[in-house]
Amino acid sequence: MLLARILSTLALLCALAVTALGIWLGDTWNIVLGAILICSGTISVVTAWRARRR
């Protein structure tokens, strides 16, 4: 469980970094990719944290 929580949190941080880079460079592709990855990362984080409670 700990590994899942760490990896999902890192995935979310990477998604935020991609989005920030896209905004900084003005690159639409990175902004869209980052938005998709943020949604995916958020779902992973919520799932990993809820799995611990059960």
Side-chain angles (χ1 to χ4, degrees), residues 16-53:
L16 291 171
V18 167
T19 306
L21 183 66
I23 291 171
W24 184 50
L25 296 176
D27 186 16
T28 306
W29 171 250
N30 280 340
I31 295 170
V32 171
L33 181 64
I36 293 169
L37 291 175
I38 285 173
C39 292
S40 174
T42 302
I43 292 169
S44 298
V45 167
V46 168
T47 303
W49 282 91
R50 284 190 178 179
R52 181 176 181 255
R53 293 182 186 165

